[in-house]
Amino acid sequence: MMSAIFANLPALQVILPLLFAPICFLLRKRGAAWLLAFCVSLCTFAVSIALFMQVSAAGPLSYAMGGWDPPWGIEYRVDSFNAPFLVLLSLMFCVTLAFSYKSVEKEIVQPRHALFYSAFMLCVAGLLGIVITGDAFNVFVFLEISSLSSYILISFGKDRRALTAAFQYLIMGTIGATFLLIGIGFIYMMTGTLNMADLAVRLPSVMDTHTVRAAFAFIIVGMSIKVALFPLHVWLPNAYGYAPSAASVFLAATSTKVSLYVLIRFTFTVFGAGFAFGAMPLQPILLVLAVTAVFVGSLSAIFQTNIKHVLAYSSVAQIGYMVIGFALASHAGLSAGILHMFNHAVMKGCLFLVAGCVFYRFRSARIEDFRGLGKTMPWTMGAFVVGGLGLIGMPLTAGFVSKWYLIMAALDHGFVGFLIIAAVLAGSLLAVAYVWRIVEVAYFQAPDEVHENGKEAPFILLVPAWFMALLTLYIGIDPSLVVGAAESAALSLLGSTP
Amino acid sequence: MTDLSLLTLPFMPFFIAALAVMFIASSSVRSALMLAVPIASGFLLLQEQSGVALTMPFMGYELVPFRTDKLSFLFGYLFCIASFIAILFSLHVKDRVQHTAGLFYAGSAVGAVFAGDLLSLFFFWEVMTVSSVFLIWARQTDGAFRCGMRYLIIQVASGLLLLAGALMILHSTGSLAFNEIGLESQAGYVILLAFGIKAAFPLLHNWVIDSYPQSTVTGAVFLCCFTTKVAVYALARGYAGADILIYIGAVMVIFPIFYAVIENDLRRVLSYSMISKVGFMVCGIGIGTELAINGAVATAFNHVIYKSLLFMSMGSVLHMTGRIRASDLGGLYKSMPLTTILCVIGAASISAVPLFGGFVSKGMILTAALDQKLDFVWLCLLFASAGTFYYAGIKICYFTFFGQDSGLRAADPPKHMLLAMGLAAAMCVFIGLYPALLFGLLPFEVDYIVYDTTHVLAQLQLLAFVGLGFVWLKISKLGPPDLRSVNLDVDWIYRKFLPESIRCALGLLIADYGRLKRFFCDLFHQYIMGGLIRHHGPHGILARAWPIGSMVLWVAVLLFFYLIFYYF
Amino acid sequence: MKPERPYFLDNKGNVRFLIYIFHALCFVLFAADFVLHRHSYHPLEEIPAFYALFGFLAFSVIILGAAMLRKLVMRPEDYYEAPEEISND
Amino acid sequence: MTLVFGLFNYWVAMVLMMIGFYILIASGNLIKKIIGLNIFQTSVFILYISMGKIKGGAVPILTEGTEIYTNPLPHVLILTAIVVGVATTALALALVVRIKEAYGSIEEDDIHEKDGSL
């Protein structure tokens, strides 16, 4: 029994949430649905940890789905690049569920609760599937599963703008996914295989054709939409801003990262760094877009009046950092980018959880709702300050570690590196402006009547928020675990290029 | 103490107490705890020996969060004393956020001067920045908020430059140790700029003028003690003997004098005076001889004491009367006799009247400048000494406490404030009388005789004749009146010049002064002033939701762009 | 409100007396330069009563300079933004 | 000539794709946008399906005497993609219904005017 479980861990990772999602829906009762989802999330987390341990002990793991050997069947492949992502996803799954019991109760009307949890589980299943699969077409299928369910999650938002945001996201997401489909079709046309490892072997012989180049362009643009890379980021702020708090937390922490994962996976594993950065001018394009993203995102964040929008625009900027790391294409750069994907997930998760706590109390998360929160909700604001310091990149927080590695990576790139460093530093300055603006409101502005009587968020909401805040601090103080994971991930990506 | 652990480091009591203060509701317990902090920290310092270092692995590097030598010790003790005084002065404040911020701020200043590597230094540097801004915001006015934001941005910029410089050094040498940095590499200039912002180098000085007068009464006392002194420490450690500092220092001592003379807000006068005094120290560090460094460090020591005394007395005036403009004050000696006396002691000390603290240290730098045949610098410093006496010694005291009676009759401030001021005043006098105690703390052997005929006579003559000038000026009633005004400074560049000039440049370019010019002027006026908000504000082009159609268009454009690039 | 007792400096005579004392002090210091020996490290210092002259000169320069500077940089208080009343904390 | 007629299946796919894109960009009606999206997706389906066809290849069912079969894999893949497409359309239509309820309109401009979103 145990051995059967262990042999099928990769399949379990995806199938658990996928299978229980409809059951969750059938349960109908809010408490039961939540409990089931939470149990599944714990199991998923345990599975991901087990996979992570296996991979770090014994190297990459290949699992033939349904007994069909790759490259014909669908292969699930866990290596040191995606194993930490599985852990991140399932961790966020647990944390968000712990948070959602109270938060969903407040934000979503009663008969839809079970629906929310099942859509949520489907979304997680999709994201886990994207990360774990070694089959190009399978990526598309899981991408659509996760996207469709996240459109649903967003449309649960109380504000009517949630609907338009979901619709907008739906159109953009579908275009992105379809572009990915076109790209995959083109490379299938040239090679006759869909298995990523097999593609990596066969693609080099047909590299010079227009078809492969077009395929690459389609995949990059398609995934840039899902990553929300400037200028294709416009769907993101409203989608995160109007979604129910629990959904914003999870999507902000994971969804764009997984898309970026796909981008990196295709660039390095399938096409190879030599093609992507040698034959194609990917680096300058991405660097320009990413640096612009840092500025546009941060500047826009400064002027927002809704905290969720501030955080969402800050995500746009932070995605810029990740893409910078990715575009540097060196070992140092890639590990910095991957590192920031984790760190940002933790920090942004923390901040959105705080926004959720405030939302829970005041039914909105505008900046004026933060007036006087330093006194009335000290623990909530404490977590916000920690997360905010992380975004700014203060030492002893996770953000600093990312910034450190990013700058170190950029230093190898001469003049361009200096420009990047300047952009990164300017970005932190702008982060100071948008984060500390809120802190000032919270600690020094007198609350009006509505907010005067605010009290601390319920304990059960504070626990996840502080868990993430402490994780931010932990990574900042002892980054060896995350840094090690990111570096071995980068190594496996660069090592696997032909 | 041989076993060094993080918990016994001198900044720890500050940080622990800072967190604790937030949760202590009883104000007497809180006061007792806060007052105990600097004492505990000083006690920990007394236990340490010179030359020890604590190392700690972090991200694969050996960090040295604590390392001692004479230079560090001097600043360590100084900051303990200063924070004790500042805490004592601020006991009446109810706002716990301010106390927490103050303790974090003081603690990180103590930490910074013992940091043995650039990363630890950067850490304390950033904590100082982030905590000190609360002392400005605590004023809770709109102006204080905007000013705090400007302050924060400038300070964080300094921190980021430090980080960038540290990483450049790490990249080229593989070591993060914070010792002599020098100006051989680009990294040296980047870090000098970082230190220079904190030390308020000319053109980078504006944050001092902008923020100190905006902070709370008690916040200003904290602020005046730490930030610039940490920068002086860092300069002394990293750039001792760098020639460029001599000239920077020379400019720095001169230009604030004129501003201080015409300034009306007395706390702003003190801020200008602070820049001038830091200029003395920078100059001393630039000269770089043992005597000069000693002089710079001793000046820093005295400066913290007397400048905090002056900020406290001006703070008391502001606290009791609610006014701080010279034109609104006068004749307060009648109802605030103790404050008057204490302020006069502070003024005497800053003006370097013999038998007061300031006199001990000022002569060292002047002598060092002469020793090095830096005649021009010597004249500058001498000129600044004369100026200091006028704007800090005479102007502050005269306009507040004497001068034309304003009719204000405010009483002396509460006891703890007087006590804090009394303590600082006592130290001024004490150092003036027993300079040996201070000399024992200085980093180098001192062979400098403070009280000989030459120094005393020269200084007395200088002071007396500046005073004479003032008296004649007052008798003849020619003196410049104190007017309510805003005096332009460097911030004019970013608060006025840039927006305006861009607006007008286009207007001039267009030959037709008719409709076209007005059109473009208006266009650019809106564009520059409102531009950011329009583009990034909630409904700005770059921040509002675009219609789906234009988003899709962008997708198409980007795809086209990629395809073009990839095909050719 | 009962009238205040006159303070020390309210009496013009007292002020005049202080000014006399001060002038006397200045003269003594000026004269002392000719009596006492002052080391000089710099040729300028050998000028008799150099520091006294320098002090007076410096003061004049500062006042004149400040007057000129004031013409250059002084602006109304609402130049950047409307001033707020400085309030008690 | 081969460029035009030999690859006509690709041209068809491309033209359809551009039509779909154009509708997405130019049409303000949300339902029409969904139709545009559908056309856009369909173009990709056609691309895939025609890619699997081999000249002279038979239907991929094992029969006596047939040597060349059309590649069935793309067809299978596209079956999945069609399912996804249907799900997307269904969800999009459901959203449009809710938008109509909330805003009383399904014209992009009207909705944009109401609260600046979309």
Side-chain angles (χ1 to χ4, degrees):
Chain A
M1 176 64 190
M2 277 318 270
S3 66
I5 290 181
F6 268 98
N8 290 312
L9 277 181
L12 275 180
Q13 178 81 89
V14 182
I15 282 177
L16 270 178
L18 196 62
L19 199 65
F20 282 99
I23 298 177
C24 191
F25 174 59
L26 292 176
L27 282 178
R28 292 276 166 190
K29 288 243 174 352
R30 183 170 75 89
W34 178 80
L35 195 65
L36 178 71
F38 193 60
C39 291
V40 171
S41 78
L42 290 180
C43 295
T44 316
F45 185 54
V47 171
S48 71
I49 293 281
L51 278 173
F52 183 72
M53 306 287 251
Q54 267 186 25
V55 168
S56 37
L61 190 81
S62 174
Y63 177 86
M65 199 69 187
W68 294 80
D69 282 333
W72 298 281
I74 290 170
E75 182 196 15
Y76 278 12
R77 203 180 153 77
V78 189
D79 60 15
S80 47
F81 179 34
N82 58 12
F85 275 93
L86 295 175
V87 177
L88 175 74
L89 281 169
S90 41
L91 177 74
M92 283 314 299
F93 186 22
C94 293
V95 170
T96 315
L97 272 176
F99 178 79
S100 62
Y101 184 72
K102 274 266 178 190
S103 154
V104 165
E105 180 190 12
K106 197 100 166 190
E107 290 182 33
I108 295 175
V109 284
Q110 161 52 28
R112 296 195 190 137
H113 285 163
L115 204 60
F116 176 84
Y117 289 119
S118 61
F120 186 42
M121 282 162 91
L122 276 178
C123 181
V124 177
L127 294 176
L128 285 168
I130 297 172
V131 172
I132 204 170
T133 188
D135 183 278
F137 192 78
N138 214 220
V139 170
F140 165 73
V141 175
F142 278 123
L143 187 69
E144 282 295 29
I145 292 180
S146 70
S147 307
L148 284 171
S149 42
S150 52
Y151 309 145
I152 298 174
L153 287 179
I154 292 165
S155 68
F156 274 122
K158 275 227 161 124
D159 196 306
R160 65 177 178 180
R161 278 168 288 191
L163 297 172
T164 49
F167 186 81
Q168 210 167 32
Y169 186 20
L170 182 141
I171 301 277
M172 296 310 288
T174 307
I175 292 175
T178 310
F179 273 17
L180 180 71
L181 186 65
I182 297 171
I184 293 171
F186 280 158
I187 51 178
Y188 175 71
M189 213 191 293
M190 297 310 290
T191 61
T193 181
L194 286 168
N195 182 288
M196 289 188 191
D198 203 29
L199 277 171
V201 177
R202 294 189 193 204
L203 267 179
S205 57
V206 289
M207 270 316 176
D208 276 342
T209 54
H210 283 334
T211 317
V212 174
R213 288 172 173 235
F216 190 61
F218 270 106
I219 291 176
I220 295 280
V221 175
M223 290 322 292
S224 296
I225 300 177
K226 300 287 295 182
V227 170
L229 179 61
F230 178 87
L232 308 178
H233 65 281
V234 188
W235 57 268
L236 182 140
N238 276 354
Y240 289 3
Y242 296 121
S245 300
S248 331
V249 171
F250 184 76
L251 293 178
T254 57
S255 132
T256 48
K257 272 94 192 167
V258 168
S259 307
L260 189 55
Y261 165 88
V262 175
L263 198 54
I264 295 177
R265 182 58 100 185
F266 269 95
T267 310
F268 284 94
T269 307
V270 177
F271 287 94
F275 170 74
F277 291 98
M280 303 261 138
L282 185 59
Q283 187 169 45
I285 300 179
L286 280 187
L287 279 181
V288 168
L289 292 183
V291 168
T292 321
V294 169
F295 284 107
V296 170
S298 308
L299 281 173
S300 304
I302 292 176
F303 294 105
Q304 296 305 308
T305 51
N306 185 320
I307 300 291
K308 281 187 171 182
H309 277 104
V310 172
L311 297 178
Y313 273 108
S314 135
S315 282
V316 173
Q318 303 283 327
I319 288 163
Y321 291 142
M322 297 170 216
V323 175
I324 287 175
F326 156 53
L328 288 177
S330 59
H331 175 250
L334 201 51
S335 13
I338 295 170
L339 181 68
H340 194 51
M341 287 159 84
F342 296 131
N343 290 344
H344 179 249
V346 172
M347 299 182 301
K348 215 21 98 46
C350 170
L351 290 170
F352 267 106
L353 285 167
V354 170
C357 290
V358 176
F359 201 97
Y360 181 83
R361 278 279 171 251
F362 302 118
R363 302 283 176 116
S364 69
R366 291 161 307 160
I367 287 204
E368 52 269 36
D369 292 324
F370 275 65
R371 279 192 193 142
L373 284 200
K375 291 205 178 61
T376 52
M377 299 173 83
W379 286 100
T380 312
M381 276 321 290
F384 185 87
V385 169
V386 173
L389 288 177
L391 271 192
I392 297 169
M394 277 286 288
L396 299 189
T397 62
F400 175 70
V401 180
S402 324
K403 194 157 72 179
W404 177 274
Y405 280 94
L406 201 54
I407 294 179
M408 282 302 266
L411 275 173
D412 292 330
H413 288 257
F415 182 66
V416 177
F418 279 115
L419 293 182
I420 291 170
I421 293 173
V424 171
L425 296 184
S428 321
L429 265 187
L430 295 172
V432 171
Y434 62 73
V435 171
W436 238 228
R437 185 169 72 116
I438 299 164
V439 172
E440 193 270 345
V441 171
Y443 284 98
F444 291 113
Q445 291 196 9
D448 52 32
E449 281 137 36
V450 185
H451 302 105
E452 219 161 35
N453 305 318
K455 49 177 200 274
E456 189 55 90
F459 183 67
I460 195 162
L461 294 187
L462 282 178
V463 170
W466 267 97
F467 175 74
M468 298 306 267
L470 291 178
L471 205 57
T472 307
L473 290 176
Y474 171 74
I475 296 174
I477 292 166
D478 179 16
S480 53
L481 187 71
V482 192
V483 170
E487 281 186 336
S488 63
L491 204 63
S492 85
L493 282 173
L494 291 169
S496 65
T497 51
Chain B
M1 207 165 4
T2 44
D3 63 322
L4 281 166
S5 77
L6 266 181
L7 278 179
T8 62
L9 296 186
F11 59 83
M12 267 308 180
F14 284 97
F15 285 6
I16 294 169
L19 290 176
V21 159
M22 276 211 268
F23 300 98
I24 298 175
S26 149
S27 73
S28 50
V29 176
R30 203 165 57 215
S31 305
L33 174 71
M34 290 198 301
L35 285 176
V37 166
I39 298 173
S41 173
F43 182 73
L44 286 173
L45 269 183
L46 280 174
Q47 306 289 307
E48 304 288 358
Q49 285 125 26
S50 204
V52 289
L54 170 77
T55 57
M56 195 176 80
F58 180 73
M59 296 204 306
Y61 308 101
E62 274 289 285
L63 294 193
V64 190
F66 187 72
R67 151 296 297 268
T68 55
D69 61 8
K70 278 201 107 173
L71 186 63
S72 302
F73 267 125
L74 177 119
F75 278 92
Y77 288 128
L78 172 62
F79 289 161
C80 285
I81 296 168
S83 54
F84 184 81
I85 292 172
I87 289 169
L88 185 60
F89 186 74
S90 63
L91 281 184
H92 65 280
V93 175
K94 297 265 182 310
D95 182 7
R96 278 183 254 170
V97 175
Q98 273 190 69
H99 288 311
T100 303
L103 284 172
F104 264 121
Y105 180 44
S108 47
V110 172
V113 294
F114 288 102
D117 64 283
L118 291 164
L119 188 53
S120 308
L121 181 70
F122 169 72
F123 168 71
F124 291 116
W125 206 260
E126 290 287 72
V127 178
M128 277 170 74
T129 299
V130 170
S131 53
S132 57
V133 74
F134 281 91
L135 299 171
I136 301 167
W137 278 345
R139 194 70 180 277
Q140 299 194 355
T141 59
D142 220 29
F145 168 62
R146 275 197 297 274
C147 162
M149 219 56 198
R150 289 194 290 268
Y151 170 84
L152 190 61
I153 297 285
I154 292 172
Q155 299 293 307
V156 171
S158 153
L160 292 174
L161 286 169
L162 175 60
L163 177 68
L167 280 162
M168 285 159 80
I169 285 183
L170 177 65
H171 196 250
S172 59
T173 66
S175 152
L176 270 172
F178 176 34
N179 291 314
E180 168 88 55
I181 296 171
L183 290 169
E184 280 78 42
S185 60
Q186 284 171 315
Y189 283 97
V190 173
I191 295 185
L192 182 66
L193 193 59
F195 291 172
I197 291 176
K198 287 251 177 190
F201 280 3
L203 302 183
L204 307 175
H205 67 277
N206 193 253
W207 61 270
V208 175
I209 314 305
D210 196 16
S211 59
Y212 287 14
Q214 285 279 8
S215 67
T216 59
V217 165
T218 53
V221 180
F222 274 99
L223 288 170
C224 80
C225 291
F226 299 116
T227 302
T228 48
K229 303 312 166 299
V230 169
V232 167
Y233 158 81
L235 284 171
R237 165 100 45 213
Y239 295 94
D243 281 344
I244 187 173
L245 291 184
I246 302 177
Y247 306 107
I248 292 176
V251 177
M252 225 170 137
V253 293
I254 297 292
F255 89 90
I257 292 173
F258 296 99
Y259 272 101
V261 169
I262 61 172
E263 186 54 60
N264 192 14
D265 181 331
L266 291 175
R267 291 205 295 177
R268 192 162 283 177
V269 173
L270 288 179
S271 307
Y272 275 116
S273 137
M274 160 170 268
I275 295 174
S276 171
K277 282 289 169 189
V278 173
F280 267 89
M281 303 170 213
V282 171
C283 215
I285 292 166
I287 294 168
T289 57
E290 292 193 352
L291 181 62
I293 298 281
N294 270 347
V297 173
T299 309
F301 193 99
N302 284 322
H303 181 245
V304 168
I305 308 289
Y306 56 65
K307 189 48 60 70
S308 63
L309 176 54
L310 288 171
F311 263 107
M312 283 190 284
S313 40
M314 285 306 107
S316 302
V317 170
L318 174 58
H319 183 70
M320 300 311 292
T321 67
R323 299 177 196 191
I324 195 62
R325 294 188 185 89
S327 49
D328 298 348
L329 295 169
L332 282 173
Y333 79 97
K334 297 174 181 173
S335 58
M336 302 177 82
L338 292 174
T339 314
T340 310
I341 293 169
L342 293 168
C343 184
V344 167
I345 294 177
S349 191
I350 196 175
S351 324
V353 174
L355 301 184
F356 290 93
F359 179 66
V360 175
S361 48
K362 193 208 72 172
M364 294 165 95
I365 299 178
L366 283 166
T367 312
L370 271 186
D371 285 348
Q372 296 299 304
K373 305 271 178 289
L374 294 161
D375 294 359
F376 182 69
V377 175
W378 172 72
L379 282 175
C380 284
L381 295 180
L382 204 58
F383 180 77
S385 307
T388 309
F389 180 53
Y390 171 53
Y391 66 77
I394 300 175
K395 176 170 173 170
I396 293 275
C397 296
Y398 180 81
F399 284 103
T400 317
F401 297 109
F402 308 104
Q404 193 172 17
D405 194 337
S406 62
L408 291 170
R409 290 292 179 268
D412 271 321
K415 284 208 181 62
H416 66 92
M417 286 181 153
L418 284 175
L419 200 61
M421 286 153 68
L423 206 61
M427 285 201 63
C428 285
V429 178
F430 186 77
I431 294 172
L433 295 177
Y434 300 101
L437 202 74
L438 173 61
F439 287 174
L441 287 173
L442 294 180
F444 301 105
E445 263 325 283
V446 181
D447 69 352
Y448 173 77
I449 299 153
V450 180
Y451 294 111
D452 62 2
T453 324
T454 310
H455 286 134
V456 175
L457 184 59
Q459 181 67 10
L460 283 178
Q461 283 182 343
L462 189 74
L463 296 178
F465 278 80
V466 173
L468 189 67
F470 178 72
V471 169
W472 287 358
L473 195 72
K474 275 290 150 194
I475 292 173
S476 64
K477 300 207 187 330
L478 285 174
D482 276 287
L483 303 171
R484 286 178 162 233
S485 66
V486 160
N487 296 316
L488 302 186
D489 201 334
V490 180
D491 56 350
W492 177 75
I493 291 175
Y494 58 86
R495 287 169 77 176
K496 207 80 177 184
F497 174 73
L498 284 179
E500 293 279 330
S501 60
I502 297 173
R503 184 168 71 88
C504 292
L506 211 94
L508 289 175
L509 282 180
I510 292 166
D512 176 21
Y513 266 62
R515 233 156 42 88
L516 261 182
K517 181 196 159 189
R518 207 166 55 241
F519 172 74
F520 274 95
C521 257
D522 286 352
L523 188 78
F524 265 70
H525 187 74
Q526 286 173 4
Y527 203 82
I528 303 301
M529 310 300 256
L532 275 178
I533 295 176
R534 262 187 320 110
H535 285 103
H536 296 282
H539 302 289
I541 292 167
L542 286 172
R544 69 157 176 253
W546 296 348
I548 294 172
S550 42
M551 266 197 273
V552 177
L553 190 64
W554 268 107
V555 176
V557 166
L558 206 66
L559 180 71
F560 180 73
F561 188 59
Y562 270 100
L563 286 174
I564 294 284
F565 260 85
Y566 285 3
Y567 269 61
F568 305 106
Chain C
M1 198 175 146
K2 67 176 181 190
E4 287 181 311
R5 70 184 166 87
Y7 286 88
F8 183 72
L9 293 184
D10 287 341
N11 185 340
K12 285 273 186 291
N14 288 342
V15 177
R16 214 171 295 132
F17 175 70
L18 285 179
I19 291 175
Y20 281 138
I21 299 238
F22 183 68
H23 277 95
L25 181 74
C26 288
F27 179 75
V28 170
L29 284 170
F30 189 85
D33 218 33
F34 298 92
V35 184
L36 299 170
H37 172 69
R38 196 156 52 77
H39 294 289
S40 44
Y41 304 93
H42 192 271
L44 278 175
E45 286 186 288
E46 284 160 20
I47 302 170
F50 163 71
Y51 284 97
L53 297 174
F54 186 89
F56 193 78
L57 192 72
F59 179 78
S60 321
V61 170
I62 288 169
I63 291 299
L64 292 176
M68 285 198 294
L69 186 69
R70 182 165 263 176
K71 280 198 189 115
L72 203 65
V73 302
M74 197 167 80
R75 295 290 182 279
E77 267 190 315
D78 56 358
Y79 182 70
Y80 292 120
E81 49 207 33
E84 293 153 10
E85 264 321 293
I86 297 178
S87 63
N88 215 327
D89 84 354
Chain D
M1 278 319 247
T2 47
L3 192 69
V4 181
F5 293 108
L7 300 172
F8 83 97
N9 52 332
Y10 295 138
W11 285 112
V12 168
M14 213 182 234
V15 168
L16 275 179
M17 186 191 280
M18 287 306 131
I19 291 174
F21 240 92
Y22 180 77
I23 296 175
L24 271 173
I25 295 171
S27 170
N29 186 304
L30 297 188
I31 298 282
K32 286 184 182 166
K33 272 194 197 299
I34 297 174
I35 294 171
L37 195 67
N38 266 320
I39 295 174
F40 171 60
Q41 283 180 306
T42 309
S43 74
V44 184
F45 302 159
I46 290 174
L47 178 80
Y48 263 77
I49 292 168
S50 65
M51 163 207 318
K53 173 72 184 168
I54 293 166
K55 257 190 194 141
V59 184
I61 300 170
L62 275 181
T63 35
E64 293 278 327
T66 320
E67 296 284 298
I68 309 167
Y69 294 106
T70 294
N71 184 357
L73 189 67
H75 300 179
V76 178
L77 295 180
I78 250 24
L79 216 52
T80 320
I82 288 172
V83 174
V84 168
V86 169
T88 312
T89 310
L91 181 58
L93 288 171
L95 279 174
V96 171
V97 171
R98 295 271 314 274
I99 289 175
K100 168 81 180 170
E101 282 168 10
Y103 288 86
S105 166
I106 53 168
E107 288 294 327
E108 205 174 10
D109 294 343
D110 293 351
I111 298 170
H112 194 86
E113 246 172 49
K114 284 204 170 117
D115 49 19
S117 75
L118 206 71

